[in-house]
Amino acid sequence: MTEERNIGEDSGAAAGAGTPAPTGTESWAAAAAKEVKGRDLTWATPEGIDVKPLYTAADVAGWDPGLPGFAPFARGVRASMYAGRPWTIRQYAGFSTAEASNAFYHRNLKAGQKGLSVAFDLATHRGYDSDHPRVTGDVGKAGVAIDSVEDMKILFDGIPLDQMSVSMTMNGAVIPILAFFIVAGEEQGVERKLLDGTIQNDILKEFMVRNTYIYPPEPSMRIISDIFAYTSAEMPKFNSISISGYHMQEAGATQVQELAFTIADGMEYVKYGVASGLDIDKFAGRLSFFFAIGMNFFMEIAKLRAARVLWHRVMTQLGAKDERSKMLRTHCQTSGVSLTEQDPYNNVMRTTIEAMAAMLGGTQSLHTNALDEAIALPTDFSARIARNTQLVIQEETGMCNVVDPLGGSYYVEALTKRLVDEAWAIIERVEREGGMAKAVAAGWPKAMIEEASAARAARVDRGEDVIVGVNKYRKENEDPIEILDVDNHAVREAQVRRIQAVKAARDEAACRGALDALREGARGNANLLALAVECARARATLGEISAAMEDVFGRYGTQPTPVKGIYGGAYTDDARWLRLEEGVAATERRLGRKPRMLVAKMGQDGHDRGANLVSSMFGDLGFEIVPGPLFQTPEEAAALALDKDVDVVGASSLAAGHKTLIPELIAHLRDAGRADIKVIAGGVIPAQDYQALFDAGVQAIFGPGTNLIAAAEEVLRLLGHNMPPQGEAA
C-alpha cells in the first residue's frame, strides 16, 4: 500500500503542485491549464519573445508547417530525412602543419567521421604566407597553415577527393584556397566536376562579426560572384557558399538576429549573382547555410525550421522556379561560446544537448565541439568524445527513425511561427534600407549584435542567466585537464622551409606571368578564380595570389566602436557597481584625468567579442577607452599605448598567440622606458600558460567566464586604488 500511495501522490504532483483536483468531467489537463492561467509563469527570452508555460492548439491556429520534403520545408528538406539517411558527421579540425592535420583526419575517418571540415590558421585566413613578419604568433595555432598547393596536397594525402565531402571555412583568402583545392584534386587524378564539398565564402558576415576579411566590400562581393560563376559551370557537386549565422551567435547575437541577418546575407548574395548575369536556378541550388546551436534547446530547433520557411519565401520572391533553389540546406556546429573553462566536463553535456537540438531541427551535417575547446584546440581524447556524441545519437537512441519527431508540438510550431515573424520584420528593414551590403556598411547590424552581447554578459555576471560551474554551483578548485599545445615557432620554421623549396623548384617566369594575368584580371572583369587556378598550377603561394589582388583592391581595415550604456544600464543602483564608479572617480582625482585603457587586439585574430565587451563595460564605468584597431603587431600596440599615454593595456587573446605576442608587447614598452604601464591579459588563455605570462610581466590574467565586475576591481587595485570590502564606502 505504501508504494501505491506514493505513486498516487507523485501523479498528483505531475498535474501541477497545488492544482485543485478536477471536478465532474473536467480533465487534469484542463485543471492544470486553469491553474497556470492564474499565475505569471511567462519567461521572456533574450529575443524579446514571451514563452508561456503551456501551449495549446489555439497557439498554432492558421499555421501549417506542411510535410517533410515539401514546401515550405519547415519539417525538413527530404521526405524521409534521417529515417532514410542520417546527417553527415563532421569534425572541424586543422592545426599545426598539413602533415599533422592529415594524420588527425585519417584517425577521425577511421573512427566513424563521414566528412572533413578544414580549419585554417589565421595567417592563411588573412592572405599572408607563413614567412610574413605580421604573422609570427599566428602560424599553425588556430588551424592548419596552408601556403601553397603542395601544402594542400599533403593535407589530403591518402584521402580520395572524389569520394570525400570536404568543407572549408575560408572567406578572406577564398580565391587561393579554392584554387589550391582544385589543383590538388587534379594532381590526385580527380576531375573538377567530381569534387564534392563546401567553401564558406561568406564575406558579409566577416565584415559584421568575425573580421577575417582582406579586401573592401565591393571587390569582396565580386569575388563571390566569380566563384558562383566558376563552380556552377565547372563543379556541379560543389557548394559555392555557406552562408553563416554561426559567427553571429558566437559574437553575441540573439537567435532572431542570427536568423534574420543570415537569411538577409543569402538574399544579397543571390542578388549579386543574378546581377552578374547568372541564372538564379543555375547556382542557387548549390548554396548552403551554417548555423550555431546554443543552449536554448527549443529555440534552436525552431530556428532551423523557421530558416527553411524564410528561405523558401525569399527565393520565391527573388524569382526562383526550381524547388531545389528554395530549399535551405544547412550545416550546424554546437556553440563554442557556451563552452566553459570552469568545470569543463560539463561541456560534454552541453554539446550533447546542442547536438540533439541540431538533429531535431533537421540539420544536414553537424560538427560537435570538444570539451576543451574553451581554452585550446581539441586533443584526440576530447575529439573522440565529441564525435562519439553524434554516433551515439545516430546509432543508439532511435531518434533517427522518425521524421521531424517534434513536428506538431504546439510549443515548437508556435515558436517556429514567432521566429519567422520576428526575423521577417528585420529582413524587411534590411530591404527597405537597400540590402545587407548597405546595412553592413551603415553598421547597425553589428551594433545590434554588440548590444545583445553586452546585455547577455551583464545577465551572466549578475547571475540572472545561470551557467553551471561558472556563476552557480562553482567548484572551489578547478581540476587541470590536458590540452593540445602547438609549438608555433617549430611550425613556422617548417612552413618557411617549404615555401623556400616551392619557390626554388617552380618556373619563376611562368609563375610571374600567371600572377600578372591575375592582377590584370582584377583590374578588368575576368574570372578571378579561373586565373588563380593557373597561378596555383604555377606554384604561386597564397600570399602572392592574395597580394596580386590586393595591389588592385587594397586591404581593408576598420576601427572598433564600443557600444555604450548597455552593460552599465543593467547595474543601475547596484551597490557593487556604485563602489566601482566611486573607485574610478577617486582614481581620476588622483591622476588628474580619467584612467585610460588601451584594449589591444594583436595578431590576425578578428574575433572581437571579448575586446568589445571589455571596452563597453570599462567605458560605462568611467574609464577612457582607446579601442585599438584589429590586427596590430606588438610593436604597433606599444606605439599606440605610448602615444595615448595609457595606464593599462588590456591584451585580448583568442587564438593562442598570447605566448608570443604579449611578451613582445611588454618588451617594447620596457624598451621605451614605460614599464609602469600595466599589461593585463584576457580571453582564451589556458591556466598552464599563466605562469609564463606572469614571468614576462603580465599583471593580471582574466580567462573565459571571468566576471567583469571582479576584473574591474582587480584593475583598480593595480592602479593603486584600494577597493573597500563589500558594504563600505570608497
Side-chain angles (χ1 to χ4, degrees):
M1 288 299 294
T2 302
E3 186 178 42
E4 290 177 4
R5 185 171 59 252
N6 287 340
I7 292 172
E9 288 167 358
D10 289 344
S11 298
T19 302
T23 59
T25 58
E26 185 181 39
S27 68
W28 275 110
K34 188 189 299 182
E35 189 268 337
V36 163
K37 190 174 181 180
R39 299 167 61 194
D40 184 13
L41 300 176
T42 301
W43 168 49
T45 75
E47 292 78 12
I49 295 174
D50 288 338
V51 175
K52 303 185 300 182
L54 180 68
Y55 284 78
T56 68
D59 294 294
V60 293
W63 169 256
D64 181 8
L67 292 171
F70 293 88
F73 305 109
R75 302 195 64 190
V77 295
R78 294 195 311 274
S80 61
M81 284 301 288
Y82 309 140
R85 178 167 61 88
W87 67 91
T88 301
I89 297 174
R90 296 190 183 276
Q91 203 75 11
Y92 181 54
F95 60 93
S96 184
T97 61
E99 291 92 341
S101 293
N102 174 262
F104 187 75
Y105 294 160
H106 277 284
R107 293 195 297 274
N108 287 2
L109 292 170
K110 187 177 180 182
Q113 185 175 312
K114 301 300 182 184
L116 297 178
S117 292
V118 182
F120 298 96
D121 74 355
L122 291 165
T124 303
H125 272 288
R126 294 270 293 147
Y128 293 116
D129 286 336
S130 296
D131 58 0
H132 197 284
R134 296 195 73 86
V135 299
T136 54
D138 298 298
V139 177
K141 292 297 284 187
V144 61
I146 298 293
D147 293 309
S148 73
V149 73
E150 295 301 327
D151 288 331
M152 191 70 81
K153 288 170 67 177
I154 294 169
L155 187 66
F156 296 117
D157 184 39
I159 298 172
L161 293 179
D162 55 345
Q163 300 173 35
M164 181 59 58
S165 170
V166 176
S167 172
M168 294 180 286
T169 299
M170 178 52 64
N171 303 282
V174 63
I175 288 286
I177 284 296
L178 192 47
F180 291 165
F181 179 68
I182 291 166
V183 174
E186 287 177 355
E187 297 186 7
Q188 200 185 82
V190 178
E191 297 179 72
R192 290 192 295 277
K193 66 181 182 182
L194 298 178
L195 292 172
D196 185 7
T198 304
I199 189 86
Q200 192 164 99
N201 194 25
D202 178 3
I203 203 65
L204 286 174
K205 167 263 304 178
E206 297 296 330
F207 290 121
M208 205 185 319
V209 290
R210 189 164 173 259
N211 300 311
T212 50
Y213 44 68
I214 300 175
Y215 313 110
E218 196 60 36
S220 296
M221 294 298 288
R222 174 197 165 176
I223 285 170
I224 289 171
S225 295
D226 282 0
I227 291 171
F228 284 175
Y230 185 95
T231 55
S232 63
E234 303 286 338
M235 303 166 69
K237 296 176 64 178
F238 197 80
N239 298 318
S240 52
I241 193 168
S242 175
I243 303 152
S244 174
Y246 183 87
H247 302 98
M248 297 180 201
Q249 189 180 138
E250 294 291 279
T254 67
Q255 277 91 334
V256 167
Q257 291 167 354
E258 177 193 7
L259 178 59
F261 292 137
T262 304
I263 297 297
D265 278 351
M267 292 177 68
E268 193 81 346
Y269 294 133
V270 170
K271 287 189 285 187
Y272 264 79
V274 171
S276 68
L278 295 174
D279 181 333
I280 190 171
D281 285 316
K282 288 289 193 296
F283 73 90
R286 299 313 306 178
L287 308 184
S288 67
F289 287 78
F290 174 30
F291 287 102
I293 303 296
M295 285 297 288
N296 192 341
F297 184 73
F298 288 102
M299 187 74 78
E300 295 292 6
I301 295 166
K303 182 184 74 182
L304 297 185
R305 301 170 97 252
R308 292 191 288 269
V309 174
L310 286 166
W311 189 241
H312 186 271
R313 181 186 297 180
V314 161
M315 293 304 288
T316 301
Q317 290 186 1
L318 291 175
K321 299 293 189 289
D322 188 341
E323 284 298 292
R324 181 174 173 79
S325 300
K326 307 176 187 180
M327 184 189 297
L328 182 146
R329 296 160 301 113
T330 190
H331 170 70
C332 290
Q333 181 174 343
T334 59
S335 174
V337 167
S338 72
L339 303 178
T340 65
E341 178 186 32
Q342 298 81 8
D343 212 355
Y345 292 105
N346 289 340
N347 294 333
V348 177
M349 287 82 84
R350 293 187 177 102
T351 295
T352 302
I353 291 166
E354 291 167 351
M356 289 173 59
M359 172 265 167
L360 291 166
T363 190
Q364 277 61 68
S365 68
L366 178 63
H367 162 68
T368 32
N369 286 327
L371 66 94
D372 49 0
E373 287 190 72
I375 50 175
L377 292 170
T379 62
D380 278 9
F381 171 79
S382 65
R384 179 176 176 80
I385 294 172
R387 182 178 55 254
N388 285 352
T389 299
Q390 296 193 54
L391 290 171
V392 168
I393 293 172
Q394 284 190 358
E395 304 283 354
E396 295 187 25
T397 64
M399 290 187 190
C400 295
N401 298 330
V402 176
V403 179
D404 189 24
L406 290 183
S409 156
Y410 297 142
Y411 177 37
V412 170
E413 299 296 359
L415 201 51
T416 301
K417 181 181 184 301
R418 183 68 186 271
L419 284 172
V420 168
D421 294 342
E422 295 284 337
W424 189 249
I426 296 176
I427 292 168
E428 287 184 317
R429 177 187 172 185
V430 170
E431 291 304 291
R432 283 196 306 271
E433 298 185 18
M436 200 60 191
K438 289 186 178 178
V440 169
W444 65 264
K446 182 178 179 67
M448 187 182 286
I449 290 171
E450 290 186 2
E451 287 173 2
S453 177
R456 160 71 170 167
R459 290 196 305 273
V460 171
D461 285 352
R462 287 173 61 86
E464 294 165 1
D465 286 5
V466 172
I467 301 178
V468 174
V470 176
N471 62 3
K472 195 172 184 181
Y473 312 112
R474 184 155 185 174
K475 298 176 67 177
E476 288 188 14
N477 297 296
E478 296 292 338
D479 300 322
I481 62 170
E482 180 185 350
I483 63 166
L484 179 67
D485 187 28
V486 174
D487 186 341
N488 164 250
H489 296 289
V491 173
R492 188 168 187 269
E493 289 170 3
Q495 289 301 120
V496 169
R497 288 194 297 270
R498 185 173 293 146
I499 291 170
Q500 292 170 343
V502 167
K503 289 182 176 180
R506 72 189 183 188
D507 182 333
E508 193 63 27
C511 182
R512 291 294 141 202
L515 289 168
D516 288 342
L518 175 61
R519 200 173 285 108
E520 288 305 309
R523 293 191 180 99
N525 58 7
N527 188 287
L528 296 173
L529 179 55
L531 292 170
V533 168
E534 296 305 317
C535 294
R537 288 195 185 109
R539 283 346 189 230
T541 67
L542 176 132
E544 290 171 326
I545 294 172
S546 297
M549 293 187 288
E550 186 180 338
D551 288 344
V552 180
F553 300 146
R555 183 172 279 267
Y556 187 72
T558 57
Q559 181 75 27
T561 305
V563 298
K564 297 179 180 179
I566 304 297
Y567 190 99
Y571 276 88
T572 303
D573 298 328
D574 182 276
R576 197 173 177 193
W577 180 267
L578 293 174
R579 286 197 307 277
L580 281 170
E581 287 184 319
E582 290 165 1
V584 173
T587 304
E588 181 178 353
R589 289 192 295 271
R590 181 166 51 81
L591 294 174
R593 57 167 174 78
K594 290 179 179 291
R596 196 173 293 141
M597 175 188 287
L598 166 63
V599 179
K601 281 290 294 182
M602 296 179 290
Q604 298 305 306
D605 170 38
H607 294 85
D608 57 357
R609 175 180 184 167
N612 291 338
L613 283 175
V614 168
S615 294
S616 297
M617 183 272 186
F618 277 87
D620 286 353
L621 201 55
F623 276 70
E624 180 183 338
I625 298 298
V626 179
L630 298 175
F631 315 122
Q632 284 189 308
T633 64
E635 185 175 13
E636 289 166 345
L640 183 58
L642 296 170
D643 180 61
K644 298 297 185 180
D645 189 26
V646 303
D647 306 295
V648 182
V649 177
S652 175
S653 175
L654 180 71
H658 49 269
K659 289 197 291 185
T660 301
L661 300 171
I662 296 176
E664 287 184 21
L665 165 68
I666 293 170
H668 286 301
L669 293 173
R670 284 176 175 163
D671 290 346
R674 290 302 308 275
D676 59 301
I677 295 177
K678 314 296 183 186
V679 175
I680 61 176
V684 180
I685 302 175
Q688 292 90 321
D689 294 348
Y690 280 20
Q691 193 56 53
L693 291 176
F694 286 137
D695 292 344
V698 171
Q699 301 276 313
I701 300 172
F702 305 109
T706 293
N707 184 298
L708 291 178
I709 299 295
E713 291 172 341
E714 179 62 23
V715 170
L716 282 175
R717 290 189 189 98
L718 289 174
L719 293 178
H721 181 75
N722 293 319
M723 288 298 298
Q726 190 165 346
E728 294 183 15

